[in-house]
Amino acid sequence: MPSRRHFLSRNVALGALGLPAVLAPAASAEPLPAAVRRTESFDLNGRWLFRTDPDAQGEQQSWFAGGQDSALWREVEVPHTWQIEAPIAEYRGIAWYQRTFDTPSRSANSAVRIEFEAVFHSAKVWVNGLLAGEHLRKGYTAFTLDIGPLLRRDRQNSLAVRVDNAFNEHMLPRGRSSDWAHDGGIYRPVQLLVAPEAFIERLEVDAVPDFQTGDASLSATVFVRNVGSRTWNTEVSFRVVDDTTGNIVLDQPAGRLSIEPHSTASSPISAVLPKARHWHFDRPHLYRLQVSIQNQRAEGHVLETTFGVRKFEVRGTAFYLNNEPVRLMGVERMAGSHPAFGMAEPAGWILHDHDDLKNLNCIFTRVHWPQDRRVLDYCDRNGIFIQTEVPTWGPDTFKDMGEQPDADIMLNGLEQLREMVARDRNHPSICSWGLCNEIGGQNPPAYNFAKNMLAEAKRLDPNRLCSYASHSLRTTPGKDVAGLMDFIECNEYFGSWYPGDAEAMGRNMDEVHAAFPDKPIVISEYGYCACTAERPEGDARRREIMRTHDAALKERDYIAGLIFFCYNDYRTHVGDRGMGVLRQRVHGVVDLFGRAKPSYELLRAESSPIDSLKIEGHPGNFEVTLKTSKTVPAYKLRAYKLRGVYYGYGEIPVEQQEIALPELVPGQEIKLKIAFAEDHPEYLQFDVLRPTGFSAYSQVWKT
């Protein structure tokens, strides 16, 4: 019989062959304008030297200057976290990394930067013994430092990084308040970036469809930095490239820009994208915007970003995607949970888990902190809506505060929000910005924190929805800061963390709806945690809660989305199961190593847009009755297929038939004919396939 997990990991298979998988953006093949160049990147991952510094002596003893006893350092592979190494799995404090690198040949008269995609949680960086910069108390966002003036061209350069992951009361997550792995280290990739002295630092893109004309309005802002000592007067031009075909859709000038020495300037772009194809979780079509700057005296620069054309909005108590109502469902994944990787996850494991989410019919998820860009690239290309969040977790964040949040916490939250939005705002998969989680939203300092974060998020990205995941809606919900958000997010754990059953939960949801009658409600977390002594692990209880809560929630038409918590058992410093690298909370439909529990199959079925598949007759003349889901999840199905595979003697697949399905609306039933040449199978496997190739529903037929 076939595996319980119904997807073929096409991406993992490609990666094993050394071929590009559907995880990272495709490289551009279009010719560049004359006299411009791309940013050159040089990989700084791989072998580094590492040592801990429990007595905080390294800076005083100038470890950043090199020349230390090499016997006290050991080799590690960056990306790296020491939290997966048994002897120091519980160590939280200061550690050091160092390595050498060659100066790139084109570094003269260039801007040379080093980019860290994330260091948890504080980093100070030295190049050749000189301080290049620091990024403090922000453990999930990327940062770059200018290092050109510090480079040596006659010999190798030294690079040293001081990392601190000690629990800290002046950052988010605050102290020990959060419930996930605080893995210290340079845990995401590092690279050297070399560009002309005047270079495009980043692009902000918005592409909104016009449903009457079929076109889209494209607006962008180009941010250009000049690290040189002369003024740059540049011509700005841009192209839009269809990512699927490689065809150039637009190619036109965008005006002139003057950038003073050692400064940044911005320039707007606007255009109409003709007959634009929309981004949808079932049809995740992408475009690439290439912007170039040129002048007659020096080399120009080009930067590219990927974007999608889509409109995700709230109308009353419903979500609309591209002018159609959608009710969404998915599951949250807690990154950093595999004991062999921790937060330093390789591309192959990111790919594995997200293929698994797609197999679970996840089209809608949220995460508690800003993610690895490879996660967001996957979601863009494979179709998962994701809410990425500032890591503000728990009511203890605002413990012992007055009416307003403490200034350091407020500033840290705003800084992390700005860095998250600046890097990630062009991803079409990001459906909303998450501002905080379970903060006690009726507590004045928490309320004012979320209110300030919302105002800043709307300033930074006015067109994207914002919300926060509340656990304080069981009493007086109308007083909660959730009411300021674009939609209501509710974490409900009736029968687990809270007393009561699915019926009590339903009554509470009706109370929340009565408090906010004009807004959709998303259940941002629900499930079962075997997290206390009186609640031992028992997957039967998880399945019971899933079934009963789904039934109660799906019948309420103001529920716009469900996100089960969670995909995996997860590593956390507050874990009550396991020890060392296996300290965890048991909460998932798979374990730390990705092994599926029985609840996995139930979640896959509950999250499918297919309600049922009835197969009657015999292989030479089957009649298939297919019915779509009428409630969550509910959306139009376009370009789906029914595939049948005939398995003969020895369970060998010998025949395959596919039928293109017509466009289907929620709750629709259709009848189909499908026939096979052979008539004596061991069994037949039927799958309803999404346009992305993932199976949305599976059924085995046997005589």
Side-chain angles (χ1 to χ4, degrees), residues 160-238:
V161 183
R162 179 188 186 270
V163 177
D164 186 357
N165 81 323
F167 293 111
N168 191 299
E169 294 292 323
H170 304 284
M171 62 170 284
L172 300 171
R174 185 183 181 196
R176 298 174 179 266
S177 67
S178 66
D179 178 17
W180 60 79
H182 282 220
D183 285 358
I186 305 175
Y187 71 95
R188 290 184 188 159
V190 189
Q191 57 184 334
L192 206 61
L193 304 173
V194 180
E197 284 186 324
F199 64 96
I200 303 170
E201 189 170 36
R202 63 187 177 93
L203 303 168
E204 292 183 353
V205 185
D206 291 293
V208 181
D210 184 323
F211 302 117
Q212 292 186 332
T213 66
D215 300 334
S217 63
L218 175 68
S219 59
T221 303
V222 185
F223 295 88
V224 182
R225 276 189 66 199
N226 179 7
V227 301
S229 57
R230 59 180 178 175
T231 299
W232 277 64
N233 295 301
T234 69
E235 300 282 348
V236 182
S237 60
F238 71 94

Side-chain angles (χ1 to χ4, degrees), residues 48-59 63-64 72-74 76 78 80-83 85 88 91-98 116 119-126 159-166 182-186:
W48 290 59
L49 295 177
F50 170 81
R51 66 182 294 189
T52 58
D53 184 10
D55 299 320
Q57 296 295 307
E59 199 161 357
W63 291 5
F64 52 80
L72 301 176
W73 298 72
R74 61 185 175 87
V76 297
V78 168
H80 171 263
T81 175
W82 63 81
Q83 245 74 53
E85 301 175 6
I88 52 175
Y91 173 70
R92 289 179 175 87
I94 298 169
W96 289 74
Y97 295 83
Q98 64 169 289
F116 294 85
V119 175
F120 191 82
H121 54 71
S122 293
K124 294 182 73 173
V125 181
W126 289 263
L159 173 61
V161 183
R162 179 188 186 270
V163 177
D164 186 357
N165 81 323
H182 282 220
D183 285 358
I186 305 175

Side-chain angles (χ1 to χ4, degrees), residues 617-683:
H618 58 87
N621 184 21
F622 275 131
E623 182 177 78
V624 178
T625 304
L626 182 151
K627 186 177 181 180
T628 61
S629 171
K630 189 176 182 178
T631 180
V632 185
Y635 42 88
K636 281 187 179 180
L637 307 188
R638 292 188 177 91
Y640 277 58
K641 296 178 181 179
L642 175 66
R643 181 182 67 193
V645 178
Y646 181 111
Y647 286 83
Y649 180 75
E651 298 191 357
I652 298 170
V654 295
E655 186 179 355
Q656 176 174 297
Q657 298 291 338
E658 283 190 354
I659 299 175
L661 300 182
E663 182 176 301
L664 300 171
V665 298
Q668 184 174 352
E669 182 176 291
I670 61 169
K671 293 185 182 294
L672 305 162
K673 295 288 187 180
I674 187 169
F676 296 85
E678 299 289 334
D679 203 22
H680 300 286
E682 292 283 308
Y683 63 89

Side-chain angles (χ1 to χ4, degrees), residues 464-517:
R464 197 171 254 117
L465 301 180
C466 297
S467 194
Y468 105 95
S470 176
H471 76 323
S472 46
L473 296 171
R474 282 179 291 154
T475 58
T476 61
K479 296 180 180 180
D480 200 278
V481 70
L484 301 183
M485 304 294 156
D486 292 315
F487 59 97
I488 307 302
E489 287 190 325
C490 179
N491 293 355
E492 70 88 356
Y493 284 106
F494 284 84
S496 183
W497 290 111
Y498 314 154
D501 56 12
E503 185 178 350
M505 179 273 297
R507 289 195 299 269
N508 179 229
M509 290 304 105
D510 291 340
E511 293 166 358
V512 175
H513 173 56
F516 311 110

